[in-house]
Amino acid sequence: TTLPYHLWKSDRTHLPGSFRPDATVTRAEMAKMIFVVRNNTIDDSAYENNSSKLTDINSHWAKGYIKFCESQGIMPATATTP
């Protein structure tokens, strides 16, 4: 099954539908992909206000996705650079 583009795209400047198999996937992009697959939604608002040990995500576009992955033990609180 292929996820629609709007479910996995990030706020990067990629063209819609562009395929970049050699590009590095960021922590933020991976967190969003994991969130969408596990929750079948892109709405991360329930996690945006969760506490976190991470200090580099406070104003990041993917903070809800990252906080979800942290709360599930998927991403350790020592990971940096969204």
Side-chain angles (χ1 to χ4, degrees), residues 7 32 35-44 65:
L7 292 179
K32 183 172 182 177
F35 180 90
V36 170
V37 168
R38 292 192 94 188
N39 297 289
N40 201 30
T41 183
I42 60 170
D43 182 12
D44 66 339
Y65 303 119

Side-chain angles (χ1 to χ4, degrees), residues 7-80:
L7 292 179
W8 59 264
K9 75 173 182 75
S10 72
D11 289 348
R12 287 186 175 185
T13 57
H14 299 160
L15 295 174
S18 64
F19 180 60
R20 298 172 25 108
D22 296 327
T24 300
V25 175
T26 66
R27 175 183 65 177
E29 292 168 331
M30 181 56 68
K32 183 172 182 177
M33 288 187 274
I34 291 169
F35 180 90
V36 170
V37 168
R38 292 192 94 188
N39 297 289
N40 201 30
T41 183
I42 60 170
D43 182 12
D44 66 339
S45 60
Y47 296 92
E48 287 184 352
N49 294 320
N50 282 15
S51 63
S52 175
K53 294 179 182 177
L54 297 168
T55 59
D56 62 337
I57 63 169
N58 294 331
S59 61
H60 196 275
W61 68 266
K63 70 180 178 182
Y65 303 119
I66 296 169
K67 287 179 179 184
F68 166 79
C69 290
E70 180 186 5
S71 72
Q72 300 297 305
I74 298 167
M75 291 184 173
T78 58
T80 57

